[in-house]
Amino acid sequence: MSDHVYKKVELIGSSENSIESAVENALAKANESIRNTRWLEVSEIRGHVVEGQVDHWQVGVKLGFTLEAADSPETMEEKKAEEQGEEDVEKALGGEALHG
């Protein structure tokens, strides 16, 4: 097993349906911009009350993910794709330099 370094962010998910849905909403939104999600912990649960009824749930979620090394497969694949994209643009422009 290799050594990992984790980062933790705190989010508040909400849902009119359930506590679980509030957690899932927070996780889904985080997954739009965070990779390598490994764990979560629920830190707080609240209900917003309107006229004596729970209107929606708010759930505090701490989300942990691994930080990528510069030579990780995901990072290397992205660098290669970016370099290939730049090469394709240069070819399309007749070899003109993009930088400078």
Side-chain angles (χ1 to χ4, degrees):
M1 177 180 182
S2 61
D3 295 332
H4 295 286
V5 174
Y6 297 90
K7 182 169 179 79
K8 181 168 59 172
V9 295
E10 189 165 0
L11 310 166
I12 307 293
S14 64
S15 171
E16 294 178 347
N17 300 320
S18 68
I19 293 167
E20 185 174 317
S21 290
V23 171
E24 290 170 353
N25 289 341
L27 184 58
K29 190 63 167 175
N31 280 331
E32 291 177 11
S33 60
I34 297 174
R35 292 191 305 212
N36 303 320
T37 304
R38 299 294 182 238
W39 51 264
L40 67 84
E41 60 184 87
V42 172
S43 57
E44 58 186 314
I45 300 172
R46 297 187 283 278
H48 179 80
V49 178
V50 175
E51 297 180 7
Q53 303 259 335
V54 175
D55 185 62
H56 66 273
W57 295 99
Q58 297 173 339
V59 180
V61 177
K62 293 180 183 179
L63 183 67
F65 57 96
T66 53
L67 296 176
E68 296 175 343
D71 61 348
S72 72
E74 296 89 356
T75 304
M76 296 303 290
E77 285 177 19
E78 288 174 356
K79 286 180 185 175
K80 184 177 179 181
E82 183 177 312
E83 289 170 1
Q84 183 62 49
E86 289 176 4
E87 288 176 14
D88 291 346
V89 170
E90 280 189 45
K91 286 178 186 176
L93 296 174
E96 295 178 27
L98 293 175
H99 308 289

